[in-house]
Amino acid sequence: GKLLAGYRPQLPALFIVSQVDLREGTGEGIEVQVERAPGAKCERCWKYTTDVGQSPRWPTICAPCVEAVEEIQRGG
């Protein structure tokens, strides 16, 4: 658990999933449970997140994609 916790921000990309939730178990080894992620699918990155639509200007994409698109528009 502690080894994976150190890589928490990178785990979704490593596992090619939208979200990863780590929990301490009571048994030995690692147990994996796969469920549909909450939220809506971002039209830009295809991840399921709960922040899709929070930007009135970009209602179909997630917050990180909003930042990326706005940076691209600024010429960054």
Side-chain angles (χ1 to χ4, degrees):
K2 291 181 183 181
L3 174 64
L4 289 177
Y7 295 97
R8 184 182 301 266
Q10 293 85 24
L11 291 179
L14 179 66
F15 297 142
I16 313 172
V17 296
S18 295
Q19 300 170 19
V20 173
D21 182 26
L22 298 176
R23 299 181 191 168
E24 287 295 323
T26 56
E28 292 183 30
I30 295 176
E31 181 179 322
V32 176
Q33 182 175 354
V34 179
E35 298 176 351
R36 181 174 297 274
K41 183 179 180 181
C42 172
E43 287 187 354
R44 182 173 180 268
C45 70
W46 289 23
K47 294 179 186 174
Y48 283 81
T49 67
T50 57
D51 57 8
V52 169
Q54 288 186 353
S55 170
R57 185 172 180 197
W58 308 102
T60 61
I61 61 176
C62 66
C65 284
V66 167
E67 289 181 28
V69 168
E70 289 179 350
E71 183 174 334
I72 290 167
Q73 287 192 334
R74 286 191 301 266

